[in-house]
Amino acid sequence: MYAIGLFLSGVISIYTLLCFVRIFITWIPNMQYTAFGRFLSSMCDPYLNLFRRIPFLRAGAIDFSPTLALLSLAALSTIVSSIMSVGRITISGILVMIVSLVWSCVQSILGFLILILVIRLIALLISQNYSSPFWDILDRTMTPFIYRIAGTFSRTTLPFKTAIIISLVMLVLLTAGGNVVINLLVNVLRQIPL
């Protein structure tokens, strides 16, 4: 049993690395059209495409599906490692891993959004009237999201900078509060005797 688990864990780790490289080379022009790129595409795209079909993982030009795909592989590797170390599967262990995986995905997305908002806020504070195609695309992608969050606190249309600050504070509070709730939930789930 241990040898099978060790083999599965190794296969999952190698496949995770291949998927990561596949995702990375899509950012390099023409790299995905090389023989190596086509090989990775044939190996990884069937798996990655399962997550690309989930509509809420896409926010304008930003695609979070690769993050969920990699986190799912990491969770599977953790499950295999846990089974190897404990020697059995428990319902509480599976529930803890599912909750941890879901929160890890949500936390990654929140962290990415916080980073983007911090970068955009710094750019706005440094240069009031600077515009570029990059900022225009980012603003078009993020504006509906920013104003949806900021709109919960004001019925009037807020200045863009104020809306970013409110959204940033709310995302940080949501992340911190989520960590507390998830830690409490995981501790409760670990007490399940099954």
Side-chain angles (χ1 to χ4, degrees):
M1 180 73 167
Y2 183 78
I4 293 171
L6 192 61
F7 174 75
L8 282 175
S9 184
V11 168
I12 294 167
S13 295
I14 291 169
Y15 192 70
T16 302
L17 179 63
L18 290 175
C19 287
F20 180 79
V21 172
R22 167 66 181 136
I23 293 163
F24 181 73
I25 67 168
T26 61
W27 300 342
I28 303 171
N30 299 323
M31 181 66 178
Q32 59 189 339
Y33 303 112
T34 64
F36 180 67
R38 286 192 303 273
F39 167 75
L40 284 178
S41 176
S42 67
M43 293 292 293
C44 302
D45 282 359
Y47 172 72
L48 294 172
N49 287 339
L50 295 173
F51 296 90
R52 287 186 185 122
R53 293 183 188 124
I54 302 172
F56 67 86
L57 292 176
R58 199 166 188 72
I62 302 170
D63 184 8
F64 293 105
S65 64
T67 303
L68 183 59
L70 292 175
L71 287 172
S72 297
L73 286 172
L76 184 59
S77 179
T78 302
I79 290 170
V80 170
S81 297
S82 177
I83 292 170
M84 284 177 15
S85 66
V86 176
R88 62 189 169 95
I89 300 172
T90 62
I91 292 174
S92 64
I94 291 172
L95 290 174
V96 165
M97 283 186 235
I98 289 170
V99 168
S100 297
L101 170 67
V102 170
W103 177 243
S104 181
C105 293
V106 170
Q107 195 174 22
S108 296
I109 292 169
L110 290 173
F112 179 75
L113 292 173
I114 289 168
L115 179 66
I116 294 294
L117 290 178
V118 166
I119 291 169
R120 186 59 181 128
L121 183 60
I122 290 170
L124 282 172
L125 293 173
I126 291 173
S127 176
Q128 295 290 333
N129 297 321
Y130 182 74
S131 181
S132 74
F134 173 76
W135 294 126
D136 292 341
I137 291 169
L138 183 65
D139 289 346
R140 276 196 307 271
T141 302
M142 298 298 291
T143 297
F145 171 75
I146 291 168
Y147 278 105
R148 185 171 295 148
I149 293 173
T152 59
F153 297 99
S154 174
R155 297 220 180 260
T156 62
T157 304
L158 298 168
F160 188 60
K161 197 183 310 181
T162 305
I164 288 177
I165 292 169
I166 290 172
S167 298
L168 188 57
V169 169
M170 290 307 301
L171 289 175
V172 169
L173 290 174
L174 181 63
T175 302
N179 278 330
V180 170
V181 170
I182 293 302
N183 286 333
L184 290 171
L185 181 59
V186 164
N187 287 333
V188 168
L189 290 174
R190 284 191 176 131
Q191 303 304 318
I192 296 173
L194 301 172

